[in-house]
Amino acid sequence: VPAGGEEVLMANNKVLFRIQRFDPEKDEKPHDQDFEIEVAPGATILKTLHRIRAEQDPTLALRYSCGSAICGSCAMKVNGHAILACKTQVSECVRDGMVRIAPVGNLKILRDLVVDLEPFWESLGKVKPYLMPAGAAPDKERPQTPDQFGSIDPSTTCILCGACYSDCNVLEVDSTFLGPASLAKAHRFIFDSRDANDQPRLREISERTGVWDCTHCGECSTRCPTETKPLERIEEIRVQAMADEHHGNAGARHALGFRESVGKNGLLNENWLAVRSVGFFNLPGLISIMPVGLRMMMRGKMPPLIPHKIDKVDEVKKIFARFEELRK
């Protein structure tokens, strides 16, 4: 609980809720509306929004269903970050007597706190989030050991609330990215011992807009209200893709090139890495990165052709040499 949150509610039960509103029939763009309401300690964001609708403005639109952090319907932004309204207490969110509420990000606003989830569902469909076993259906269930289930246990907890999708920094600039929720669902079936489609799945999500486009910001795992933690699942997919030698893509080539450059020279040759990532004989790819290189050169951002010397380069080389011994 942030400092002062619970104390504010104990001393003065009135909290200002600044809620983003938008009615497409009346408004050109979203605007804020303030509601002051008495809040008892322990009250959740969702319960308080219900009271605002009942006591002050019945036109406030929001999504909700179970109220038990199971369905994921009530995801919204509170103080700039996605949360589940039914799981979050007001006392956790009060800042200077105020709570700011807005719809989740990276999706079109339909009305008030309600967004168009079609892009989210469309992304999910691309990873084929269902079991694809080999052969005909058996007479009995397909058994699975506790250890086998343990490898997919975290990813099975995803409730598709969209909190990770909302705060994903990649989706903010590239709407074609599959997104953390879809990749976590892909993990669920890639590592399922009963699924026979793991290699095609790995190959497909290793391509552009897939698992390698994640920038490791960690927002998805920070905002996840369950144990799914999408960033960890994405990292596990990458490890498996590399182990199964799905190397014919820019992401894998970048990872391999990084290891080769640092392992051999003790430091990173960024100019060489860019070409290695695209592919030395990939002419269209090389042409595609030339404008970026020219802009970097004109603005003085181009890495030096001869990398700067660093201290203890031999120590770095020894670390990578040891790693290679263990890997083999």
Side-chain angles (χ1 to χ4, degrees):
V1 178
E6 191 69 44
E7 288 77 0
V8 168
L9 293 183
M10 295 296 290
N12 177 7
N13 288 346
K14 285 192 175 181
V15 175
L16 183 68
F17 276 72
R18 180 157 292 170
I19 303 176
Q20 182 175 303
R21 305 295 303 272
F22 176 69
D23 185 342
E25 297 182 358
K26 300 177 182 178
D27 304 322
E28 292 185 2
K29 59 182 181 179
H31 63 279
D32 291 335
Q33 183 176 356
D34 291 348
F35 299 91
E36 192 174 52
I37 188 168
E38 290 188 2
V39 180
T44 64
I45 295 289
L46 182 61
K47 183 178 180 180
T48 307
L49 289 175
H50 285 327
R51 287 193 53 216
I52 289 174
R53 280 164 49 90
E55 300 172 10
Q56 300 188 35
D57 190 343
T59 68
L60 176 63
L62 66 148
R63 278 196 177 103
Y64 61 92
S65 185
C66 73
S68 303
I70 295 172
C71 73
S73 300
C74 64
M76 59 187 67
K77 280 195 172 186
V78 173
N79 297 333
H81 294 291
I83 54 94
L84 280 188
C86 68
K87 188 180 180 181
T88 308
Q89 294 188 11
V90 176
S91 61
E92 300 174 32
C93 308
V94 177
R95 304 287 188 277
D96 297 324
M98 180 191 298
V99 178
R100 296 177 179 270
I101 299 181
V104 293
N106 294 325
L107 292 164
K108 178 183 176 182
I109 303 172
L110 297 179
R111 178 169 174 174
D112 294 340
L113 305 178
V114 179
V115 297
D116 182 6
L117 287 167
E118 282 306 311
F120 178 75
W121 301 124
E122 182 181 351
S123 171
L124 184 67
K126 291 178 180 178
V127 301
K128 302 180 180 66
Y130 43 83
L131 198 65
M132 301 174 70
D139 295 332
K140 297 182 179 181
E141 69 274 7
R142 293 181 172 87
Q144 193 173 49
T145 68
D147 285 342
Q148 288 172 332
F149 177 73
S151 65
I152 61 171
D153 191 5
S155 53
T156 63
T157 66
C158 176
I159 58 176
L160 297 174
C161 64
C164 62
Y165 192 98
S166 162
D167 287 22
C168 174
N169 288 308
V170 178
L171 281 166
E172 189 171 346
V173 297
D174 183 3
S175 61
T176 64
F177 178 49
L178 285 174
S182 297
L183 292 172
K185 280 296 181 183
H187 177 285
R188 155 75 179 82
F189 296 100
I190 287 170
F191 290 91
D192 194 315
S193 59
R194 301 162 297 178
D195 192 274
N197 203 49
D198 56 319
Q199 294 307 311
R201 291 183 196 275
L202 281 170
R203 184 166 54 251
E204 289 170 12
I205 66 173
S206 292
E207 297 301 325
R208 187 183 178 279
T209 76
V211 69
W212 292 102
D213 282 33
C214 168
T215 59
H216 285 227
C217 70
E219 283 293 305
C220 56
S221 290
T222 302
R223 307 305 159 200
C224 179
T226 71
E227 293 305 310
T228 304
K229 310 306 178 193
L231 177 58
E232 286 85 338
R233 309 291 77 80
I234 289 171
E235 290 173 342
E236 290 169 358
I237 293 173
R238 286 178 171 180
V239 170
Q240 191 62 49
M242 295 297 284
D244 292 344
E245 298 187 350
H246 293 285
H247 297 163
N249 57 81
R253 287 193 294 264
H254 181 87
L256 289 170
F258 197 103
R259 190 178 76 188
E260 291 162 5
S261 178
V262 178
K264 180 180 179 180
N265 304 310
L267 69 169
L268 183 64
N269 186 331
E270 296 179 75
N271 293 307
W272 177 86
L273 182 62
V275 179
R276 173 71 170 91
S277 300
V278 172
F280 292 112
F281 303 104
N282 179 6
L283 186 57
L286 294 172
I287 293 174
S288 71
I289 65 173
M290 287 179 64
V292 178
L294 290 173
R295 288 198 298 270
M296 291 175 65
M297 187 178 297
M298 292 174 63
R299 296 175 184 178
K301 300 293 185 180
M302 181 67 73
L305 294 177
I306 301 176
H308 297 299
K309 295 290 184 181
I310 61 173
D311 295 332
K312 299 186 178 179
V313 170
D314 290 339
E315 294 297 319
V316 178
K317 291 180 180 179
K318 287 179 182 178
I319 292 172
F320 272 80
R322 180 60 175 155
F323 166 76
E324 285 297 326
E325 290 176 11
L326 293 172
R327 191 173 67 88
K328 292 176 180 178

